[in-house]
Amino acid sequence: EDAVKRVVELEAKGIEEIVITTVNILQYKSEYNGQIYNFSKLLKLLLEATKNVMFRISSLYPEIVDDDFCNVIKDERVCPHFHISVQSGSNKILKLMNRTYERDAVEKACKLIRTVKKNPFIACDIITGFPCETDEDFEQTLDLCENCQFTWIHIFPFSERKGTVAINLKNKVPQEISKIRCNILTKWAVQQKIKYIESLKGCTRTAILEMLRKPSYTYHCVTDNFLHCQIKYPKDKEELPQGTKVQIVIDSAVTENIQKGGEVEVLAH
């Protein structure tokens, strides 16, 4: 009930996009009107309670992607951008991490999403150098990324944290090896993002304006499929306020920025 009230309030204030943030989206359950609602039912309810606002899901576990979930996200107001918590492509490492899924669940999730969303931006998290990760385990991670054709990867070299089970695991992976694996994945992810942007050249996307930079008169905006764009804006036109929804056309990838981790990834108009 609180979530429904909140999205209705935000839409009434002119908010164009709402991001639903979670740690483990799979755990969401709430009673409403005598029924138990999981996340898919909640998102359907939020869509029914609103008319124009877009919804973006911050991250998800692969097991949540089923037919019910896909029937909801096929709505055009659900952004075609999905970030899956993966961590590894090795079932052995996933088990050591105490994850609740195996790699086939990740592959299935990506396939299902693509049946209802055209050319979506699908990203993931990967940890390299987790204790006991062998070269073969890392190769399985690379293989999973290839099979799923992720658009981007958030990569983290393993770092110990007090109080975790992982800190007591044997067969530690040297930091140098962990960093090498991280670099291999990063190079692959950079090429994937560039390839994805190039596939969208000339396409029109919905975007939300974030800021106007002066004196260059360029807007920064984020598209529905999570591309960070720069738009040249005529000085003689009235300035558009932050949060305005616009239609833009993708021109080209800013390759150097993507390689360096810069903010602007795309030039558009």
Side-chain angles (χ1 to χ4, degrees), residues 26 40 60-75 78-82 84 103-122 147-150:
L26 196 64
S40 296
L60 53 89
Y61 274 42
E63 308 104 302
I64 200 172
V65 182
D66 57 14
D67 290 340
D68 289 341
F69 179 82
C70 288
N71 283 333
V72 179
I73 67 166
K74 68 183 179 183
D75 191 295
V78 177
C79 293
H81 160 234
F82 303 92
I84 303 177
R103 61 175 286 151
D104 61 343
V106 178
E107 292 175 321
K108 181 182 176 182
C110 293
K111 287 178 181 178
L112 282 173
I113 289 170
R114 288 190 172 103
T115 63
V116 291
K117 289 292 190 185
K118 183 181 178 181
N119 201 12
F121 186 115
I122 303 180
N147 288 348
C148 294
Q149 283 296 292
F150 291 118

Side-chain angles (χ1 to χ4, degrees), residues 16-249:
E16 298 284 7
E17 179 183 299
I18 295 171
V19 184
I20 303 173
T21 61
T22 67
V23 176
N24 183 352
I25 202 170
L26 196 64
Q27 294 178 338
Y28 180 83
K29 282 186 175 60
S30 183
E31 188 175 348
Y32 183 71
N33 286 343
Q35 295 183 45
I36 299 297
Y37 277 68
N38 60 13
F39 177 76
S40 296
K41 286 185 176 181
L42 171 66
L43 183 56
K44 185 173 186 292
L45 193 65
L46 300 183
L47 287 163
E48 291 171 348
T50 55
K51 294 180 180 179
N52 299 306
V53 69
M54 298 191 301
F55 290 95
R56 187 184 301 278
I57 304 168
S58 66
S59 63
L60 53 89
Y61 274 42
E63 308 104 302
I64 200 172
V65 182
D66 57 14
D67 290 340
D68 289 341
F69 179 82
C70 288
N71 283 333
V72 179
I73 67 166
K74 68 183 179 183
D75 191 295
E76 290 184 357
R77 289 198 286 130
V78 177
C79 293
H81 160 234
F82 303 92
H83 188 91
I84 303 177
S85 181
V86 175
Q87 313 306 348
S88 176
S90 163
N91 287 337
K92 182 192 82 179
I93 298 300
L94 289 172
K95 187 175 182 179
L96 287 172
M97 288 176 169
N98 202 28
R99 309 303 288 188
T100 56
Y101 52 84
E102 294 189 336
R103 61 175 286 151
D104 61 343
V106 178
E107 292 175 321
K108 181 182 176 182
C110 293
K111 287 178 181 178
L112 282 173
I113 289 170
R114 288 190 172 103
T115 63
V116 291
K117 289 292 190 185
K118 183 181 178 181
N119 201 12
F121 186 115
I122 303 180
C124 72
D125 293 322
I126 295 291
I127 295 173
T128 62
F130 192 83
C132 302
E133 183 186 63
T134 63
D135 288 342
E136 183 182 352
D137 294 318
F138 179 65
E139 286 297 326
Q140 289 176 23
T141 296
L142 281 173
D143 181 67
L144 177 68
C145 293
E146 286 278 2
N147 288 348
C148 294
Q149 283 296 292
F150 291 118
T151 312
W152 183 246
I153 309 174
H154 289 265
I155 308 153
F156 308 91
F158 174 76
S159 57
E160 294 185 341
R161 293 291 184 270
K162 289 183 179 180
T164 62
V165 174
I167 200 171
N168 296 317
L169 291 173
K170 297 179 181 179
N171 297 323
K172 307 289 186 187
V173 177
Q175 280 294 308
E176 304 82 55
I177 293 177
S178 182
K179 287 178 181 177
I180 289 171
R181 292 171 181 171
C182 182
N183 289 338
I184 291 170
L185 276 175
T186 299
K187 288 180 181 178
W188 185 86
V190 164
Q191 292 306 310
Q192 284 295 106
K193 182 174 280 189
I194 293 170
K195 185 168 71 172
Y196 180 73
I197 294 168
E198 294 296 319
S199 75
L200 294 169
K201 272 187 176 182
C203 293
T204 301
R205 306 300 309 192
T206 300
I208 305 294
L209 297 181
E210 290 197 339
M211 64 186 78
L212 174 62
R213 292 186 175 92
K214 295 181 179 179
S216 62
Y217 265 79
T218 55
Y219 271 104
H220 180 270
C221 69
V222 178
T223 63
D224 56 346
N225 56 342
F226 205 61
L227 298 179
H228 295 255
C229 305
Q230 180 176 288
I231 312 167
K232 191 74 176 175
Y233 196 73
K235 293 182 180 179
D236 57 346
K237 281 194 175 183
E238 184 180 350
E239 292 182 18
L240 299 173
Q242 182 177 356
T244 300
K245 185 191 291 184
V246 295
Q247 297 295 307
I248 67 168
V249 178

